[in-house]
């Protein structure tokens, strides 16, 4: 008899976006003539940069010729992409990495979800709240999260660090030791960031407490302000305490192509129960070689093109396009009397629902009265209650129309 991993049974049955889809479908059936605008799910709408398209076409041609055909590639990724990442994303910021510290993957979701494979099941976990749900759910699956406390909606072995308007979305440094802490900046869902000085406090905490920081920088490319770090390794000592995840998904429209990378510095170690220090780079490499067979050659050639002069220019155009949406959204919503966070260094706007209305109630009202779909903040964690998330990933015209509708409605 095969026994199931019962940890999976602890996960709440329905998933946030399927609940939203159900509500939207009901609305569509009951209002067949109304056209809705979706500012909910964080998927890009603009096509791939031309430089990436051309590089991928060329890579397909390589695959058609015996001399240039590529079968299984290195599980860690091809050196041509790893070197482009190091040369462009790290070296200019004064961060030195060797090729074997960068692992190319099929997007940040896989690695942020899988990284727990190399960590014991009984580590304590800390998350900022609200949070990208993968961090919690993957820990539930491995039995690390404990049990769900129905009343609070929190997991018993997880420390939640609230990020709300009260603390300006800067999580408070815990007053106790936590083994593993997830940080995501620029943040999904709040769109807020930490300054270098604020992030330094986390690195100092981690070094003092032997904590591992799992730093998700999937939205790094959207940073506009100069004192916001693009990598946790900009902070001295971070290589000793942090793993960093990055993604080409939102940067270059790769949500459907699938490519990103994870940095596991050689000097980063964690302990065995007996106290022996083990290099996490070695463990992650072992894990990847066993469970991952590499990102496709075609995809990696496409990602490499992001770093060419044309690629950089086209990626910037994409980001500028979404950030122009974000600015219009922020300005319109604020002039309509709403309090809006984020949207400056990230494509997400985190809006306080007026008059203490709940996230889901505001979601329903906005759907039925303005025909605009957002994401209820409470779906990202208990501290998201009383907020709604809108994304700037949409066509400019649709964004303008959505803002016009919300303004009229309010
Ligand atoms: N991390 C964060 C914070 C995200 O919001 C997302 C996607 O929405 C991901 C990681 C996953 O990105 P991908 O797997 O497309 O690289």
């Amino acid at each position: 008899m095969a026994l199931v991993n019962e940890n999976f049974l602890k996960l709440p049955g329905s998933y946030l976006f399927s609940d939203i889809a159900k509500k939207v479908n009901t609305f569509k059936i009951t209002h067949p003539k109304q056209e809705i605008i979706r500012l909910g799910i964080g998927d890009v709408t603009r096509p791939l940069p031309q430089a990436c398209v051309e590089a991928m076409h060329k890579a397909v041609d390589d695959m058609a010729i015996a001399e240039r055909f590529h079968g299984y590639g290195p599980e860690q990724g091809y050196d041509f992409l790893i070197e482009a990442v190091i040369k462009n994303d790290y070296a200019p910021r004064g961060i030195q990495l060797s090729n074997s510290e960068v692992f190319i993957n099929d997007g940040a979701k896989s690695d942020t979800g899988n990284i727990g494979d190399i960590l014991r099941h009984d580590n304590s976990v800390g998350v900022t709240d609200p949070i990208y749900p993968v961090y919690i759910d993957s820990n539930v699956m491995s039995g690390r999260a404990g049990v769900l406390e129905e009343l609070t909606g929190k997991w018993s072995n997880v420390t939640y660090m609230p990020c709300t308007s009260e603390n300006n979305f800067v999580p408070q440094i815990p007053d106790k030791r936590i083994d593993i802490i997830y940080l995501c900046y620029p943040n999904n869902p709040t769109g807020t960031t930490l300054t270098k000085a604020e992030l330094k406090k986390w690195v100092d905490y981690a070094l003092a407490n032997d904590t591992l920081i799992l730093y998700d920088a999937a939205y790094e490319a959207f940073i506009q302000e100069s004192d916001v770090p693009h990598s946790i390794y900009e902070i001295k000592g971070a290589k000793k305490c942090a793993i960093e995840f990055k993604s080409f998904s939102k940067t270059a429209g790769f949500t459907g192509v699938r490519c990103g990378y994870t940095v596991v510095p050689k000097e980063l170690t964690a302990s065995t129960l007996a106290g022996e220090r083990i290099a996490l780079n070695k463990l992650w490499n072992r894990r990847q070689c066993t469970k991952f067979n590499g990102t496709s050659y075609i995809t990696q050639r496409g990602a490499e093109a992001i770093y060419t002069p044309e690629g950089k220019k086209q990626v910037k155009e994409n980001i500028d396009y979404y950030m122009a949406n974000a600015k219009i959204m922020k300005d319109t919503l604020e002039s309509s009397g709403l309090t809006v966070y984020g949207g400056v260094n990230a494509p997400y706007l985190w809006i306080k629902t007026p008059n203490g209305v709940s996230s889901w109630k505001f979601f329903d009202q906005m759907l039925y009265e303005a025909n605009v779909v957002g994401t209820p903040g409470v779906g990202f964690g208990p501290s998201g209650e009383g907020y709604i998330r809108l994304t700037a990933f949409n066509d400019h015209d649709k964004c303008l129309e959505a803002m016009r509708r919300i303004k009229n409605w309010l």
Side-chain angles (χ1 to χ4, degrees):
M1 178 173 58
L3 299 175
V4 298
N5 176 352
E6 291 186 27
N7 292 318
F8 278 63
L9 308 181
K10 297 183 195 162
L11 287 165
S14 65
Y15 179 56
L16 172 65
F17 290 106
S18 62
D19 288 346
I20 294 173
K22 270 188 222 147
K23 280 181 178 275
V24 171
N25 280 343
T26 308
F27 175 82
K28 276 165 64 178
I29 291 164
T30 51
H31 302 76
K33 293 211 176 97
Q34 236 87 319
E35 185 241 340
I36 56 165
I37 299 179
R38 293 171 191 271
L39 299 178
I41 296 179
D43 196 359
V44 292
T45 53
R46 284 171 67 78
L48 289 174
Q50 195 53 31
C52 301
V53 174
E54 283 165 18
M56 290 168 83
H57 276 300
K58 200 159 158 278
V60 172
D61 290 341
D62 287 347
M63 297 299 266
I65 298 166
E67 298 77 52
R68 301 211 305 261
F69 170 77
H70 287 73
Y72 288 126
E75 290 90 346
Q76 303 82 353
Y78 286 105
D79 279 337
F80 63 76
L81 180 53
I82 293 174
E83 277 157 20
V85 163
I86 294 174
K87 184 168 164 227
N88 292 280
D89 289 349
Y90 290 98
R93 301 185 197 289
I95 301 161
Q96 310 303 326
L97 291 174
S98 65
N99 286 20
S100 55
E101 292 175 303
V102 178
F103 296 82
I104 305 297
N105 60 28
D106 61 354
K109 189 184 220 174
S110 311
D111 282 9
T112 51
N114 290 329
I115 195 74
D117 277 11
I118 62 168
L119 302 164
R120 251 180 82 102
H121 70 280
D122 49 0
N123 281 293
S124 56
V125 176
V127 295
T128 54
D129 172 30
I131 188 196
Y132 176 55
V134 171
Y135 313 150
I136 295 266
D137 289 1
S138 57
N139 278 292
V140 175
M141 290 171 179
S142 63
R144 204 177 287 119
V147 290
L148 183 62
E149 294 159 356
E150 293 292 339
L151 217 59
T152 57
K154 296 180 178 176
W155 293 87
S156 59
N157 194 31
V158 176
T159 299
Y160 291 74
M161 299 173 284
C163 296
T164 61
S165 57
E166 279 78 42
N167 60 7
N168 207 19
F169 301 92
V170 178
Q172 199 184 333
I173 303 281
D175 54 11
K176 59 176 181 185
R177 268 212 72 253
I178 299 177
D179 300 316
I180 303 166
I181 289 184
Y182 289 83
L183 295 177
C184 170
Y185 291 100
N187 188 259
N188 176 17
T190 65
T192 58
T193 48
L194 293 185
T195 61
K196 255 183 208 163
E198 285 158 353
L199 186 57
K200 181 175 181 314
K201 289 184 195 164
W202 284 96
V203 171
D204 290 348
Y205 166 87
L207 292 172
N209 289 280
D210 203 358
T211 297
L212 173 65
I213 295 179
L214 300 176
Y215 193 74
D216 185 344
Y219 297 95
E220 168 270 319
F222 291 85
I223 293 171
Q224 313 283 320
E225 293 178 325
S226 61
D227 65 341
V228 178
H230 288 251
S231 161
I232 193 166
Y233 305 122
E234 288 178 40
I235 315 291
K236 202 160 167 259
K239 278 190 184 175
K240 285 194 163 56
C241 64
I243 291 177
E244 179 160 279
F245 305 92
K246 287 203 180 159
S247 168
F248 300 120
S249 281
K250 312 297 161 71
T251 307
F254 268 51
T255 52
V257 177
R258 312 301 309 139
C259 196
Y261 62 87
T262 296
V263 178
V264 188
K266 286 271 174 63
E267 57 205 88
L268 177 65
T269 63
S271 187
T272 63
L273 211 51
E276 188 192 350
R277 301 301 299 193
I278 307 287
L280 291 183
N281 180 286
K282 208 169 135 209
L283 290 197
W284 184 245
N285 189 43
R286 187 71 180 82
R287 189 265 172 213
Q288 289 299 80
C289 290
T290 300
K291 293 198 183 179
F292 185 60
N293 243 345
T295 306
S296 82
Y297 171 72
I298 299 166
T299 298
Q300 292 191 60
R301 279 292 182 204
E304 181 193 22
I306 291 170
Y307 297 108
T308 60
E310 314 78 60
K312 282 183 187 170
K313 188 169 156 276
Q314 292 157 8
V315 163
K316 185 174 180 315
E317 278 163 14
N318 266 357
I319 288 174
D320 288 350
Y321 183 95
Y322 294 128
M323 291 314 286
N325 283 350
K327 176 156 184 10
I328 288 167
M329 291 165 72
K330 195 169 167 72
D331 290 350
T332 315
L333 296 168
E334 282 175 346
S335 71
S336 308
L338 291 172
T339 307
V340 184
Y341 304 94
V344 177
N345 295 297
Y348 294 119
L349 288 92
W350 190 242
I351 299 147
K352 193 145 186 64
T353 60
N355 311 318
V357 172
S358 77
S359 293
W360 275 112
K361 181 136 196 244
F362 192 80
F363 168 90
D364 285 334
Q365 289 174 338
M366 198 165 74
L367 173 61
Y368 278 80
E369 292 167 36
N371 307 155
V372 175
V373 182
T375 311
V378 69
F380 297 101
S383 296
E385 180 55 285
Y387 294 89
I388 195 150
R389 189 192 77 174
L390 295 185
T391 87
F393 294 124
N394 216 321
D395 295 341
H396 201 58
D397 291 349
K398 284 209 178 135
C399 229
L400 282 176
E401 171 59 13
M403 291 306 108
R404 191 193 61 75
R405 289 186 196 175
I406 293 177
K407 198 174 172 97
N408 285 348
W409 162 51
L410 288 169

